């Protein structure tokens, strides 16, 4: 979706993951995934508030699926630019959304994914046994993410400068750490969020940024 932004580039590990889950979800639920931003060509910082999506390991996936727009035909360019993404929350994490999130979180290449705190709490209610849903640990709450999930695949092998980020705490995250997201402190932090400052690129990126055009 929003393909004129040309943010559809990613590491092969990310692309394989998206293809795997898209085909499993289609097989199980008969629906078609809609993808948002991946990375720009060659990666790097992009305009807007995206602090991530720079390394080809992140993707945004809409919670809405293509069939729900009732077009009955492939989307036109206009559809892909303008169709609105539907929001989901604690009360409407239905079978399609649960299965989409479960398939991503269960995929061996996926390190973690982010959904809204409300969606996380809905999933915690649907899968109360931590042993029944070990994948739930990888599903992390974050501000926004009512209409899409943010997916990150693990650092690929033989990529020593790849930083995998903070370790996910033990447990499925359906505990008091989740309650925090519904309190005043989380609300204030969400409202105070300021756009991140321009990141300083690692030296290794210079050769990529200064390479001649490839088209
Ligand atoms: Zn994202």
């Amino acid at each position: 979706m929003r393909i004129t932004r040309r943010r559809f580039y990613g590491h092969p590990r990310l692309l394989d993951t998206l293809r795997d889950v898209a085909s499993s979800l289609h097989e199980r639920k008969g629906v078609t995934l809609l993808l948002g931003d991946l990375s720009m060509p060659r990666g790097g910082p992009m305009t807007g508030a995206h602090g991530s999506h720079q390394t080809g390991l992140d993707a945004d996936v809409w919670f809405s699926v293509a069939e729900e727009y009732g077009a009955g035909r492939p989307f036109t360019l206009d559809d892909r630019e303008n169709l609105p993404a539907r929001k989901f929350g604690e009360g409407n994490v239905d079978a399609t959304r649960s299965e989409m999130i479960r398939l991503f979180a269960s995929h061996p290449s996926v390190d973690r994914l982010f959904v809204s705190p409300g969606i996380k709490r809905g999933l915690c209610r649907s899968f109360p046994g931590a042993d029944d849903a070990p994948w739930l640990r990888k599903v992390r709450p974050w501000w926004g993410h009512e209409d899409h999930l943010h997916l990150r695949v693990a650092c690929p092998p033989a990529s020593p400068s790849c930083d995998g980020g903070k370790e996910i705490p033990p447990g499925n995250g359906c505990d008091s750490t989740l309650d925090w997201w519904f309190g005043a402190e989380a609300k204030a932090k969400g409202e105070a969020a300021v756009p991140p400052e321009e990141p300083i690129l690692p030296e290794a990126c210079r050769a990529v940024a200064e390479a001649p055009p490839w088209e």
Side-chain angles (χ1 to χ4, degrees):
M1 303 301 279
R2 314 297 188 248
I3 59 172
T4 54
R5 301 206 273 199
R6 303 187 74 228
R7 293 173 178 177
F8 38 65
Y9 295 83
H11 190 279
R13 171 175 268 213
L14 175 65
L15 305 187
D16 287 345
T17 303
L18 292 168
R19 285 192 194 103
D20 286 350
V21 172
S23 80
S24 300
L25 189 67
H26 195 265
E27 220 165 83
R28 287 160 176 275
K29 296 282 173 200
V31 297
T32 308
L33 274 187
L34 299 176
L35 304 182
D37 288 353
L38 277 62
S39 289
M40 298 194 303
R42 301 182 189 179
M46 45 174 81
T47 51
H50 269 320
S52 54
H53 291 265
Q54 298 193 28
T55 59
L57 301 177
D58 301 274
D60 288 339
V61 179
W62 284 27
F63 288 129
S64 302
V65 293
E67 288 72 15
E68 290 168 347
Y69 293 92
R73 50 161 171 76
F75 282 178
T76 62
L77 188 58
D78 191 56
D79 292 334
R80 296 217 241 170
E81 290 302 312
N82 297 309
L83 283 177
R86 191 174 140 215
K87 290 192 174 188
F88 289 82
E90 188 173 348
N92 62 348
V93 193
D94 56 11
T96 300
R97 263 41 67 168
S98 296
E99 187 64 355
M100 181 192 296
I101 295 167
R102 187 189 72 80
L103 286 169
F104 273 117
S106 305
H107 194 286
S109 294
V110 170
D111 178 62
R112 67 196 67 189
L113 56 90
F114 297 97
V115 302
S116 74
I119 293 174
K120 171 80 185 189
R121 192 152 74 176
L123 290 170
C124 289
R125 296 214 162 124
S126 306
F127 301 93
D131 296 339
D132 301 335
W135 52 269
L136 204 46
R137 179 165 176 253
K138 290 193 201 172
V139 181
R140 315 299 301 169
W142 202 255
W143 293 277
H145 298 90
E146 280 96 12
D147 59 10
H148 72 280
L149 64 85
H150 176 110
L151 168 77
R152 167 159 304 169
V153 296
C155 282
S159 298
S161 52
C162 178
D163 179 357
K166 264 203 263 173
E167 190 83 3
I168 303 176
N172 63 0
C174 297
D175 48 23
S176 58
T177 59
L178 180 57
D179 298 337
W180 177 86
W181 285 93
F182 300 90
E185 198 184 345
K187 189 163 182 268
K189 271 198 169 183
E191 282 163 3
V194 288
E197 283 182 34
E198 182 102 350
I200 299 163
L201 285 183
E203 187 57 29
C205 299
R206 186 188 297 275
V208 180
E210 291 176 356
W214 74 101
E215 286 179 325

